């Protein structure tokens, strides 16, 4: 019922909202920043006849618009004062022509009022807090959710306590902060958690990995290619972390059965999983963020990125076959019957009946993702409907399944949206966007290269989820302002850069970290250096292929 | 006849530890137990949704496989070994296993050059802690 209610709320939320309208003498206008972006919650004070106290005050809406009604009596002078904590105050005065119209009882539409940004103390606090959150996550000094929550607490706490002392300390208030939370992302992630939670206990991934081993009949190159394809497709349809958590243990056993270094199979798999996830909206959290922000559908990702991903996978497969050729040549089939029996036992489908039902529902979910855009079904609703269907068909224990929902992860997203919203509010993101715009000029090719490669390189150093969340408004600005960028090529560039960039270092992607965790518990640690040695060239190859694809396709 | 408890994983470093434990068991005529601890604390390092119960189950199967390899290694050297799998934090489970199994000797492997569950510098302290809390002799090999 809860999930159905949520679905209904999301459906209602997707409907168009009413716009402002004015009757009688009124002033209507729009407040924007220097990038022509609407400024919401700007305070607009209307002064009449040279009086010191405002006649009426209002606030600009989400789209920057405002409407202020004037009295019925004639007025001699009209002045507007537009203020916002993060901008310099602007003033507008009515001309004789404006006054004439207003005194006739007509509405006057003002030209866009452009506010100039100002660097407040709040700007520096928000910026430093954002950087600290990134640092805490990258260095693992704090759990990522804790780091994001701490950032949120600092930002809201200083805004709340500091504002009465000094207006300069204000960053963002609670209502504004909540407006930055993208609940489409939160509910999509939550729905998919339940769907995946049911599927992952069936044993299907392990069985498929074992089939790859069995069918390759000792030809290691074929096994490697099959395992890479498996993890790539599974990552695209579910997510890469789950895929690696389930496939890595059985892969390790397959490697030991063949007498080869397990890292020679695990590394190709994790590299492939990071690349494969890019194919779909639900394959990586960065795609979920991008899809929701830029209104890029499941089909858009499939059509615009899958061919590029396939090309990158081919290049990646050739690369790993070359890099690990010595290990693969050393493979032998010397495992004892007991070990082979153990491997087969560990790779069996544990719940065939549940797999049949869950598989059918999952197929339906994918079809709904593909067809949903025909009737404006937002992905979050598809995921929630899918989760409800999964729970009903599989008859899963609802208590257990709701425990599957990782509230820590959802809190991470919510807190992250608030922290990123804060730096957006104070203007940091605008400055970054303006800097990149200045750097690339009107050159879309240069902009594509900057977004892809900056994304790829930075994703290896800082976590790609907060990086992507922060880059979305930047890419949004570039998309609106650059000639020829309206096909959203820069958002696809961000998707490729952020996800493929995760291959460059151990901390670049969650799938890398969990794979290293499993390998370490089996006595085959993947060090930062080991990963860098294999992953960095892999990143360079796949990002090059990905970039080439973008240039060909767009 | 005494009982040797050997905490193990896989990989070259663990094979050395296993061989040392097997040699000691043969020399002393003791029975040998290989222990694998399923520790999923690394999952705390990801901000992604995972099911620790499913992951733990998979890791237990992987542990069983690694223990079967250790068992075969012992058998090849003429020693019959038993295997145990426990779930939880490695050090705590090691101490609990030492007590519950009635071990006379706990064998810990010196970590290899690469990263280990126990850092080299902490290993002595870990051995001391096991000895103090369980009263079981603990050796680093």
């Amino acid at each position: 019922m809860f999930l159905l209610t949520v679905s209904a709320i999301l459906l209602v939320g997707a409907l168009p909202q009413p716009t402002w309208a004015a009757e009688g003498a009124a002033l209507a206008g729009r407040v924007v920043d220097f990038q022509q972006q609407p400024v919401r919650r700007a305070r607009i004070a209307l002064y009449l006849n040279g009086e010191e106290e405002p006649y009426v005050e209002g606030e600009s809406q989400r789209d920057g618009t405002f409407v202020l009604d004037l009295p019925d009596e004639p007025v001699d002078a009209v002045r507007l004062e537009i203020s916002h904590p993060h901008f310099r105050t602007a003033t507008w005065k009515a001309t004789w022509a404006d006054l004439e119209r207003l005194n006739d009882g007509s509405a006057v539409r003002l030209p866009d009022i452009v506010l100039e940004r100002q660097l407040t103390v709040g700007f520096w606090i928000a910026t430093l807090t954002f950087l600290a959150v990134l640092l805490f996550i990258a260095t693992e000094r704090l759990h990522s959710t804790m780091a994001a929550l701490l950032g949120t607490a600092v930002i809201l706490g200083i805004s709340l306590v500091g504002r009465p002392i000094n207006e300069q300390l204000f960053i963002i208030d609670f209502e504004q902060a909540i407006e930055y939370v993208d609940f489409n992302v939160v509910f999509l992630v939550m729905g998919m958690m339940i769907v995946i939670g049911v599927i992952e206990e069936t044993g299907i991934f392990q069985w498929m990995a074992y089939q790859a081993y069995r069918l390759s009949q000792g030809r290691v190159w074929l096994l490697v290619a099959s395992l890479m394809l498996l993890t790539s497709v599974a990552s695209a349809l579910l997510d890469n972390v789950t895929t690696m958590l389930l496939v890595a243990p059985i892969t390790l056993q397959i490697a030991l059965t063949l007498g080869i270094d397990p890292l020679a199979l695990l590394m190709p798999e994790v590299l492939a999983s990071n690349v494969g996830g890019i194919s779909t909206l639900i394959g990586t959290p960065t795609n979920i963020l991008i899809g929701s922000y830029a209104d890029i559908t499941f089909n858009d990702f499939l059509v615009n990125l899958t061919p590029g991903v396939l090309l990158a996978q081919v290049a990646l497969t050739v690369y790993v076959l070359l890099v690990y050729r010595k290990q693969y040549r050393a493979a032998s089939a010397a495992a004892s019957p007991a070990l082979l029996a153990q491997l087969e036992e560990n790779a069996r489908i544990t719940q065939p009946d549940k797999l049949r039902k869950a598989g059918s529902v999952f197929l339906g979910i994918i079809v709904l993702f593909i067809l949903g855009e025909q009737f404006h079904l937002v992905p979050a609703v598809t995921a929630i409907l899918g989760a409800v269907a999964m729970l009903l068909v599989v008859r899963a224990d609802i208590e257990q399944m709701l425990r599957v929902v990782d509230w820590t992860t959802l809190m991470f997203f919510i807190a992250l949206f608030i922290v990123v919203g804060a730096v957006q509010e104070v203007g940091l993101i605008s400055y970054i966007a303006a800097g990149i715009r200045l750097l690339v000029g009107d050159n879309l090719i240069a902009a594509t290269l900057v977004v892809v490669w900056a994304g790829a390189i930075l994703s290896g150093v800082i976590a790609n989820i907060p990086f992507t969340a922060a880059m979305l408004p930047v890419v949004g600005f570039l998309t609106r302002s650059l000639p020829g960028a309206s096909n959203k090529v820069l958002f696809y560039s961000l998707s490729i850069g952020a996800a493929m960039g995760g291959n460059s270092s151990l901390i670049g992607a969650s799938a890398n970290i969990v794979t290293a965790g499993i390998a370490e518990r089996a006595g085959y640690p993947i060090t930062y250096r080991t990963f860098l040695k294999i992953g960095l060239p892999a990143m360079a190859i796949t990002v090059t292929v990905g970039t080439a694809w973008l240039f060909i396709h767009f | 006849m005494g009982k040797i408890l050997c905490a193990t994983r896989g990989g070259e470093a663990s094979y050395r530890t296993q061989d040392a434990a097997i040699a000691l068991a043969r020399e002393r005529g003791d029975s040998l137990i290989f222990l694998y601890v399923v520790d999923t604390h690394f999952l705390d390092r990801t901000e992604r949704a995972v099911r620790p119960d499913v992951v733990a189950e998979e890791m237990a199967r992987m542990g069983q496989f690694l223990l079967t390899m250790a068992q075969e290694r012992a058998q090849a050297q003429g020693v019959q070994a038993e295997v145990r799998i426990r779930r939880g934090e490695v050090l705590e489970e090691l101490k609990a296993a030492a007590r519950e199994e009635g071990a006379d000797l706990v064998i810990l492997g010196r970590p290899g050059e690469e990263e280990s569950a126990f850092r080299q510098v902490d290993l002595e302290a870990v051995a001391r802690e096991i000895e103090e809390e369980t009263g079981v002799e603990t050796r680093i090999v």
Side-chain angles (χ1 to χ4, degrees), chain B residues 3 5 35 86 91-104 106 129-136:
Chain B
K3 201 178 262 185
L5 180 69
L35 169 71
R86 299 180 71 96
L91 179 55
E92 291 308 313
E93 292 305 317
L94 196 50
K95 287 188 283 191
R99 276 192 289 259
E100 288 170 24
E101 297 292 342
D104 300 293
V106 172
E129 187 179 326
I130 295 171
E131 280 189 341
E132 283 168 9
E133 289 192 21
T134 65
V136 180

Side-chain angles (χ1 to χ4, degrees), chain B residues 123-140:
Chain B
L123 204 61
E124 302 271 340
V126 166
R128 254 196 321 274
E129 187 179 326
I130 295 171
E131 280 189 341
E132 283 168 9
E133 289 192 21
T134 65
V136 180
E137 182 192 351
T138 304
R139 279 192 213 171
I140 301 165

Side-chain angles (χ1 to χ4, degrees), chain A residues 140 143-144 193 197 201 206 239-241 245 253 336 342 346 350 409 465 510 520-524 527, chain B residues 9-11 15 36-37 42 44-51 58 61-62 64-65 68 72 114-117:
Chain A
E140 296 180 13
H143 188 286
S144 46
M193 279 177 188
E201 60 185 0
Q206 299 85 324
D239 82 279
N240 51 0
V241 172
L245 279 171
Q253 295 164 56
S336 69
Q342 179 92 58
N346 289 350
T350 49
T409 300
I465 295 177
S510 295
E520 197 273 332
R521 289 306 305 138
Y524 296 91
T527 62
Chain B
R9 294 181 296 164
Y15 297 153
Y36 179 83
V37 180
F42 67 91
D44 296 341
R45 296 169 67 194
T46 175
E47 74 290 330
R48 303 284 291 281
V50 292
R51 281 189 64 176
E58 281 313 304
R61 290 191 182 125
M62 181 180 78
Q64 187 62 52
F65 188 89
T68 305
E72 288 185 349
E114 307 285 5
E115 193 185 336
S116 165

Side-chain angles (χ1 to χ4, degrees), chain A residues 42-279:
Chain A
R43 179 180 159 275
I44 297 130
L46 171 64
Y47 296 87
L48 298 177
N49 307 323
E51 287 173 9
E52 299 221 335
E53 288 299 312
Y55 166 71
V56 67
E57 288 180 308
E59 266 192 354
S60 58
Q61 303 301 300
R62 184 183 282 266
D63 58 359
T65 58
F66 65 88
V67 178
L68 295 176
D69 290 326
L70 268 76
D72 294 333
E73 303 85 53
V75 290
D76 298 328
V78 174
R79 179 169 63 91
L80 285 184
E81 201 172 274
I82 305 102
S83 59
H84 188 286
H86 304 305
F87 294 88
R88 294 186 196 289
T89 301
T91 308
W92 175 88
K93 282 181 184 167
T95 61
W96 283 113
D98 294 328
L99 286 173
E100 206 169 304
R101 281 179 59 80
L102 290 169
N103 286 334
D104 280 350
S106 304
V108 170
R109 173 72 169 89
L110 277 59
D112 280 354
I113 296 164
V114 183
L115 294 185
E116 193 185 337
R117 285 248 176 221
Q118 64 171 342
L119 295 186
T120 61
V121 179
F123 170 89
W124 295 110
I125 293 171
T127 302
L128 290 175
T129 304
F130 178 62
L131 292 176
V133 169
L134 290 181
L135 197 69
F136 280 135
I137 295 173
T139 59
E140 296 180 13
R141 295 294 295 269
L142 280 179
H143 188 286
S144 46
T145 305
M146 192 62 234
L149 280 174
L150 183 62
T152 304
V154 168
I155 285 164
L156 290 176
I158 288 179
S159 294
L160 196 72
V161 179
R163 191 175 200 178
I165 302 165
N166 185 341
E167 183 75 11
Q168 285 261 321
L169 287 168
F170 176 74
I171 301 167
I172 193 170
D173 66 28
F174 184 67
E175 278 180 31
Q176 285 173 291
I178 292 299
E179 283 177 18
Y180 276 102
V181 178
D182 187 341
F183 284 101
N184 191 28
V185 169
V186 173
F187 282 105
L188 176 53
V189 171
M190 187 177 84
M192 289 310 292
M193 279 177 188
I194 295 172
V195 171
I196 295 167
V198 174
I199 292 177
E200 70 184 270
E201 60 185 0
T202 61
I204 180 67
F205 296 97
Q206 299 85 324
W207 180 83
M208 286 171 79
Y210 178 72
Q211 293 310 311
Y213 160 74
R214 204 173 60 83
L215 296 171
S216 63
Q217 295 182 321
R219 286 166 292 183
V220 181
W221 66 269
L222 185 58
L223 171 67
V224 172
S226 307
L227 288 177
M228 287 176 76
L229 185 66
L230 166 67
T231 49
S232 181
V233 173
S235 296
L237 296 177
L238 298 170
D239 82 279
N240 51 0
V241 172
T242 305
T243 302
M244 284 314 300
L245 279 171
L246 299 179
V247 171
I250 196 78
T251 300
L252 222 134
Q253 295 164 56
I254 290 171
L256 293 173
T257 304
L258 289 168
I260 59 178
D261 181 355
L263 300 197
L265 291 188
L266 288 177
M267 283 297 295
E269 275 184 348
V270 73
L271 296 174
S273 78
N274 285 329
V275 173
I278 303 170
S279 299

Side-chain angles (χ1 to χ4, degrees), chain A residues 415-443:
Chain A
L416 179 67
F417 282 128
I418 293 175
V419 174
V420 172
V423 288
Q424 206 172 328
E425 197 68 25
V426 296
L428 175 68
I429 302 293
S430 297
Y431 288 120
I432 294 172
I436 295 176
R437 184 73 173 81
L438 200 66
L439 182 73
V440 301
D442 278 344
N443 191 332

Side-chain angles (χ1 to χ4, degrees), chain A residues 314-372:
Chain A
V314 170
L316 186 63
T317 306
V318 172
Y319 165 72
V320 295
L321 287 175
L322 283 172
V323 169
Y324 287 113
R325 62 188 183 282
K326 283 182 188 166
Q327 282 94 323
Y328 297 154
R329 279 196 203 121
S332 64
S336 69
L339 280 178
L340 289 172
Q342 179 92 58
L343 176 66
E344 192 172 355
E345 169 64 18
N346 289 350
R348 70 186 170 81
I349 289 171
T350 49
Q351 302 184 44
D353 186 46
K354 185 179 264 188
L355 176 62
R356 266 191 296 277
K357 291 176 182 170
S360 309
V361 174
F362 186 69
L363 202 64
I365 294 170
I366 297 298
V367 170
L368 207 54
F369 270 124
I370 293 170
L371 300 180

